[in-house]
């Protein structure tokens, strides 16, 4: 693989498919960018395979498992060609199409990483694809008109680990390997805090996107929790249900806030001179908490067209305001705790 191809893969293509996460990737210390960016691209490609609804669910699962096998061994060029023919050609988004057509280059770049980074990327992509496999095996086909749901909170907790908690582990491992950061709390404690931060972000995403997921037959709100509010997954599709479901919303926001508190401890434990790393971890926390604040005030949070989303201009303001405070533990703590308190007050109204 040429340096030009690598630069294109981790430059323009990465930017085109990573949306706001590209801001985080750009701010990372140099040694961390390549393995994390590559892991993101591979996971994004797997997600596109799993989510291409024009392909039968069974076929998507087959292609997803084939792709995971190639990530963990060596590229199978015939299998990559199948992904190109069966998935890439179906993409309406030209960037997603280019990504799938570039899998050979991405896997070649993976083979060039050092063993530690290569193994870490393989592990994180494997875990993330387990979550995609779980979705395909758990929920009905998007066009079936049926609705599936998780059973218990423990199932949701495991799912949030597979989708994002594992990213916190991977992130911490990359920090230790590439930046040689040392932590007074110990690496294992930082790993657990990283997992909690990832779970916080994924719970926030699930609540924000709940209405859209219901439309494609996926209810991530566990039946156990719905039952305590005398609701079924099907009730969430009925007009007027959002207020009745507020009890579940508040319960899951409370769990998310507990995770965010551990995320704050994660950021505060990062060495103060590592400004780039601190910013990369602080931004998702601030964006996530601002999203929860919007969500708490949104009585129509289950309406697909009324998703609680932070405006792009507000994200840019948040990024700009974070730079002067990032080296101060006191200012970071004050900002995050103020947002948490604001959310908790709003939950009681």
């Amino acid at each position: 693989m040429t340096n030009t191809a690598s630069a294109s893969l981790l430059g323009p293509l990465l930017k085109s498919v990573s949306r706001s996460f590209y801001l985080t990737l750009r701010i990372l210390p140099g040694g961390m960018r390549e393995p994390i960016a590559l892991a993101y691209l591979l996971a994004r490609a797997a997600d596109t395979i799993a989510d291409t609804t024009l392909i039968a669910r069974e076929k998507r699962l087959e292609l997803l498992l084939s792709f995971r096998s190639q990530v963990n061994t060596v590229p199978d060029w015939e299998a990559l060609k199948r992904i190109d023919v069966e998935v890439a050609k179906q993409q309406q988004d030209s960037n997603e199409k280019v990504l799938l057509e570039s899998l050979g280059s991405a896997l070649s770049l993976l083979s060039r990483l050092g063993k530690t980074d290569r193994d870490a990327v393989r592990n994180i992509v494997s875990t993330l694809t387990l979550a995609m496999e779980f979705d395909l095996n758990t929920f009905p086909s998007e066009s079936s008109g049926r609705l599936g749901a998780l059973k218990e909170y423990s199932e949701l907790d495991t799912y949030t680990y597979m989708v994002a908690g594992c990213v916190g582990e991977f992130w911490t491992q990359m920090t230790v390997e590439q930046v040689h950061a040392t932590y007074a709390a110990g690496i294992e404690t930082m790993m657990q805090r990283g997992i909690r931060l990832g779970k916080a972000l994924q719970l926030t995403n699930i609540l924000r996107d709940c209405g859209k997921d219901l439309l494609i037959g996926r209810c991530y709100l566990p039946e156990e929790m719905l039952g305590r509010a005398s609701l079924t997954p099907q009730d969430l599709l009925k007009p007027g249900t959002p207020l009745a479901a507020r009890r579940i919303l508040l319960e899951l926001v409370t769990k998310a806030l507990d995770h965010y508190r551990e995320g704050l401890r994660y950021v505060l434990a990062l060495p103060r001179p590592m400004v780039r790393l601190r910013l990369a971890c602080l931004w998702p926390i601030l964006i996530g908490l601002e999203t929860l604040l919007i969500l708490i005030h949104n009585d129509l949070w289950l309406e697909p067209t009324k998703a609680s989303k932070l405006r792009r201009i507000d994200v840019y303001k948040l990024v700009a305001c974070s730079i002067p405070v990032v080296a101060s533990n006191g200012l970071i703590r004050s900002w995050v705790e103020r947002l948490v308190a604001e959310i908790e007050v709003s939950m009681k109204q």
Side-chain angles (χ1 to χ4, degrees):
M1 182 181 182
T2 66
N3 289 333
T4 302
S6 174
S8 175
L9 193 68
L10 301 182
L13 179 58
L14 176 64
K15 184 177 182 180
S16 71
V17 298
S18 62
R19 304 188 184 115
S20 59
F21 187 58
Y22 189 68
L23 289 172
T24 300
L25 291 171
R26 286 293 301 275
I27 201 67
L28 283 175
M32 294 179 64
R33 288 178 205 158
E34 185 172 79
I36 289 180
L38 182 58
Y40 180 92
L41 285 175
L42 292 171
R44 183 60 182 267
D47 194 49
T48 302
I49 294 169
D51 286 348
T52 301
T53 56
L54 292 175
I55 302 172
R57 186 178 50 163
E58 294 75 14
K59 175 61 68 175
R60 280 181 271 162
L61 182 57
E62 177 188 332
L63 292 171
L64 178 68
L65 297 180
S66 170
F67 177 64
R68 183 165 71 207
S69 174
Q70 293 176 72
V71 169
N72 285 308
T73 53
V74 295
D76 179 335
W77 302 110
E78 284 301 315
L80 287 178
K81 186 176 180 180
R82 285 183 59 207
I83 292 174
D84 184 15
V85 170
E86 298 189 37
V87 187
K89 300 271 191 294
Q90 302 281 3
Q91 302 308 308
Q92 300 294 321
D93 186 323
S94 60
N95 296 318
E96 300 286 354
K97 182 175 184 294
V98 172
L99 173 58
L100 291 170
E101 292 171 343
S102 303
L103 287 181
S105 296
L107 292 173
S108 294
L109 182 56
L110 175 62
S111 69
R112 289 171 46 192
L113 293 180
K115 184 179 185 309
T116 300
D117 286 351
R118 185 170 64 249
D119 289 346
V121 170
R122 284 174 167 171
N123 287 338
I124 186 67
V125 173
S126 293
T127 303
L128 292 169
T129 56
L130 282 175
M132 300 168 201
E133 182 183 355
F134 175 86
D135 279 336
L136 290 171
N137 283 324
T138 301
F139 299 109
S141 173
E142 295 87 347
S143 60
S144 69
R146 294 182 290 116
L147 180 62
L150 301 186
K151 302 303 180 186
E152 301 176 346
Y153 175 74
S154 59
E155 200 171 15
L156 175 60
D157 188 56
T158 299
Y159 182 77
T160 58
Y161 168 78
M162 290 192 296
V163 175
C166 64
V167 177
E169 282 182 307
F170 172 67
W171 190 279
T172 305
Q173 183 179 356
M174 289 296 97
T175 303
V176 173
E177 292 293 335
Q178 297 291 348
V179 189
H180 308 297
T182 56
Y183 306 109
I187 294 175
E188 188 56 40
T189 296
M190 289 297 285
M191 289 279 194
Q192 292 304 312
R193 289 173 178 171
I195 290 172
R196 296 285 297 277
L197 173 54
K199 287 182 175 183
L201 299 174
Q202 187 57 31
L203 263 183
T204 302
N205 290 343
I206 285 172
L207 293 172
R208 182 197 65 197
D209 298 333
C210 192
K212 293 179 180 178
D213 288 329
L214 288 168
L215 282 184
I216 61 171
R218 298 180 179 185
C219 178
Y220 291 100
L221 306 186
E223 289 182 333
E224 164 202 15
M225 298 178 70
L226 291 170
R228 294 203 300 270
S230 300
L231 292 170
T232 67
Q234 289 72 22
D235 289 333
L236 301 179
L237 295 167
K238 300 175 183 177
T241 302
L243 288 177
R246 186 170 173 81
R247 171 177 169 179
I248 293 94
L249 172 65
L250 297 183
E251 190 172 344
L252 289 175
V253 168
T254 299
K255 291 181 182 296
L257 290 180
D258 287 341
H259 289 322
Y260 275 116
R261 290 186 178 95
E262 287 301 305
L264 172 61
R265 294 186 180 99
Y266 186 94
V267 174
L268 297 180
L270 296 171
R272 296 189 192 193
M274 293 185 173
V275 172
R276 287 176 173 269
L277 192 56
R278 280 187 155 217
L279 286 172
C281 297
L282 179 60
W283 289 343
I285 293 175
L286 296 175
I287 292 170
L289 289 172
E290 290 282 5
T291 300
L292 287 184
L293 190 56
I294 297 171
L295 191 61
I296 286 296
H297 289 287
N298 183 3
D299 289 340
L300 299 176
W301 65 284
L302 286 175
E303 292 288 332
T305 59
K306 304 293 183 182
S308 304
K309 193 171 183 180
L310 199 60
R311 298 180 304 168
R312 186 172 293 274
I313 189 172
D314 293 325
V315 172
Y316 290 149
K317 287 179 181 178
L318 180 153
V319 167
C321 291
S322 66
I323 294 173
V325 308
V326 70
S328 168
N329 279 1
L331 291 176
I332 290 175
R333 183 182 291 107
S334 176
W335 191 350
V336 172
E337 289 181 348
R338 176 181 58 79
L339 283 173
V340 169
E342 205 171 336
I343 292 167
E344 290 179 328
V345 168
S346 299
M347 289 169 66
K348 295 174 184 177
Q349 294 175 349

